[in-house]
Amino acid sequence: MVLQEKLPALGYEFGDLEPYIASEIMMLHYTKHHQAYVNNLNKALEQYAEAEARNDIAQMIALESAIKFNGGGHVNHSIFWTNLAPKAAGGGTLEKGSLLDAITAEFGSLEAFIEQMSARAVAIQGSGWAWLGFNKTKKRLEIATCDNQDPLSTKGLVPLLGIDVWEHSYYLQYKNVRADYVKAIWNVVNWKNVQERFELAKK
């Protein structure tokens, strides 16, 4: 029996990230888009298990793209929700510590990092993600972008902070001005979560 993936619980209410991310966007993004990735992933995994039981390698290969797309959507969004926090809960504030030191060493300053990652996010053609990742081999932080729902693991990096730039993540509020959405989202980045992910990635 294939284990069923589920939506992760949110640590806040849909409206808690306003005015930076509207309640309606959060509701649709979480209950419709992320749920669809979960549903389609579970379906593909079940079909894969059935094909594997039949030793139907051709069908297994045919299902890989659906598993990658929907599995990536599930993995990416599960990280994304934890990367966000209401202003009242510390969203947007990075305290002094190892992460800030690493960002400063790699990019010059927190402000310079935000500017660089924002530029990469805005420049993505079509749909995708901008990430701050950790390169375990080189022991350094890196900014990377991924197309569609490709997870950052496909680039050999450990995901620390992701910005979803699919239009469903901002269009209702920011229309076609992606740059305004990217600028606003820094106000609700859960830097405590990013710091925790950084410490785990270094081990």
Side-chain angles (χ1 to χ4, degrees):
M1 181 177 178
V2 179
L3 292 176
Q4 294 285 297
E5 294 293 328
K6 298 179 180 179
L7 277 180
L10 288 180
Y12 42 82
E13 301 298 323
F14 293 140
D16 287 351
L17 302 181
E18 290 191 340
Y20 310 104
I21 303 179
S23 176
E24 185 180 12
I25 287 177
M26 286 296 298
M27 185 271 291
L28 292 171
H29 200 170
Y30 178 79
T31 66
K32 301 297 183 181
H33 292 279
H34 191 172
Q35 184 67 66
Y37 294 127
V38 170
N39 294 344
N40 291 329
L41 173 62
N42 286 330
K43 180 180 178 181
L45 289 174
E46 287 181 1
Q47 293 174 336
Y48 189 94
E50 292 169 359
E52 189 174 33
R54 298 192 306 269
N55 198 31
D56 187 345
I57 296 174
Q59 179 64 7
M60 290 163 66
I61 294 171
L63 287 163
E64 286 179 353
S65 61
I67 292 172
K68 180 182 179 182
F69 180 78
N70 292 290
H74 179 39
V75 168
N76 290 343
H77 284 88
S78 295
I79 296 170
F80 183 61
W81 307 132
T82 68
N83 279 169
L84 301 174
K87 290 285 283 185
T93 302
L94 176 56
E95 303 289 348
K96 291 181 179 179
S98 60
L99 177 60
L100 180 58
D101 291 344
I103 287 175
T104 301
E106 190 65 44
F107 303 103
S109 67
L110 177 61
E111 293 73 22
F113 158 70
I114 290 174
E115 183 178 345
Q116 289 181 45
M117 186 160 166
S118 296
R120 294 286 296 276
V122 173
I124 291 172
Q125 294 185 343
S127 301
W129 292 73
W131 290 97
L132 172 65
F134 184 70
N135 187 319
K136 294 180 76 73
T137 301
K138 297 180 180 179
K139 306 295 183 184
R140 60 182 290 188
L141 298 173
E142 296 182 15
I143 296 172
T145 59
C146 294
D147 295 331
N148 300 312
Q149 292 296 351
D150 291 357
L152 189 59
S153 60
T154 59
K155 299 203 171 185
L157 300 175
V158 179
L160 305 180
L161 169 64
I163 299 178
D164 185 353
V165 293
W166 279 65
E167 284 191 341
H168 65 233
S169 66
Y170 64 88
Y171 200 86
L172 283 176
Q173 185 173 5
Y174 294 96
K175 302 302 185 282
N176 64 323
V177 190
R178 180 188 288 176
D180 286 354
Y181 156 71
V182 172
K183 181 179 179 180
I185 204 170
W186 294 104
N187 290 283
V188 287
V189 167
N190 185 356
W191 285 109
K192 182 179 179 182
N193 177 262
V194 182
Q195 173 78 54
E196 291 170 352
R197 291 180 179 278
F198 178 55
E199 296 301 333
L200 288 173
K202 290 191 297 179
K203 294 181 178 179

